[in-house]
Amino acid sequence: VDEVCLTLAGSPKDVNISGVPFTYQNQNGALMFARDITERKRAEEALRQSEERYRLLFDNNPLPMWAYDLETLRFLAVNDAAVQHYGYTREEFLAMTIKQIRPPEDIPALLKILKEKSAESKRSSECRHRRKDGSIIHVEIISRPLVFEGRQARLVLAADITEKKLLEEKFFHMQRLEAIGTLAGGVAHDLNNALAPIMM
């Protein structure tokens, strides 16, 4: 039994009390043992608070986050933002692997990266994900290893950069058109200069 006891100085101590039956001079009793577990209790409380802070940061993060098992690639936990952004329920997520949110043609490259970089402590990359409705989004992911409920896992944060990609594509398209226009203008100017004597 765990109890809080006071020392002679009046400070509280967490102790674990156990006892065994004991007979002395034909009198039945119990031999009691008290073990100081104050440090263990403090460590447990610090761990609980740390897990609570992590849970708050994980659950309330506005960006999709999840943890997945390194061996099976199965989702171990997902936050509310992932559920809302990808369209799967939490139960559906936890029955899936990370391969199932990738377009089929991207899976071989995913497996190759995971095999080559599984030991990296932290990494970031861009990739494509597929939502439940079938739409493809571009995401930037940051991941780091962690131990989740005794399993070797990775924690992933995913930022949707689809709009940024579309804007970049439009910008590059405009640059290409501008370059073509400049080239066409130069050719027309040169052609005009070459034809001028003939026209004269």
Side-chain angles (χ1 to χ4, degrees), residues 59-103:
D59 287 339
N60 297 316
N61 197 304
L63 294 176
M65 291 183 74
W66 55 80
Y68 71 89
D69 187 298
L70 278 178
E71 184 179 351
T72 65
L73 304 185
R74 190 171 294 278
F75 287 99
L76 299 174
V78 292
N79 70 352
D80 292 340
V83 169
Q84 293 167 8
H85 199 71
Y86 284 77
Y88 296 100
T89 66
R90 196 176 307 277
E91 291 71 25
E92 286 173 326
F93 257 122
L94 298 181
M96 296 163 55
T97 69
I98 61 170
K99 292 188 292 185
Q100 291 171 273
I101 62 167
R102 292 294 187 98

Side-chain angles (χ1 to χ4, degrees), residues 11 14 27 41 69 86 92 94 100 129 134 152 165-166 179 186 199:
S11 59
D14 290 292
Q27 295 292 320
K41 284 287 187 180
D69 187 298
Y86 284 77
E92 286 173 326
L94 298 181
Q100 291 171 273
H129 282 174
Q152 294 298 318
K165 282 286 186 184
L166 289 173
M199 295 298 291

Side-chain angles (χ1 to χ4, degrees), residues 127-170:
C127 58
R128 299 191 307 162
H129 282 174
R130 185 177 61 182
R131 295 194 286 202
K132 186 176 180 179
D133 63 8
S135 61
I136 302 297
I137 58 174
H138 293 269
V139 295
E140 183 175 27
I141 62 171
I142 299 172
S143 70
R144 62 171 58 242
L146 83 159
V147 177
F148 187 92
E149 296 178 351
R151 293 171 172 265
Q152 294 298 318
R154 285 195 81 88
L155 179 67
V156 176
L157 183 143
D160 189 336
I161 57 170
T162 306
E163 288 187 13
K164 176 187 168 188
K165 282 286 186 184
L166 289 173
L167 288 173
E168 285 177 355
E169 287 177 12
K170 286 181 181 178

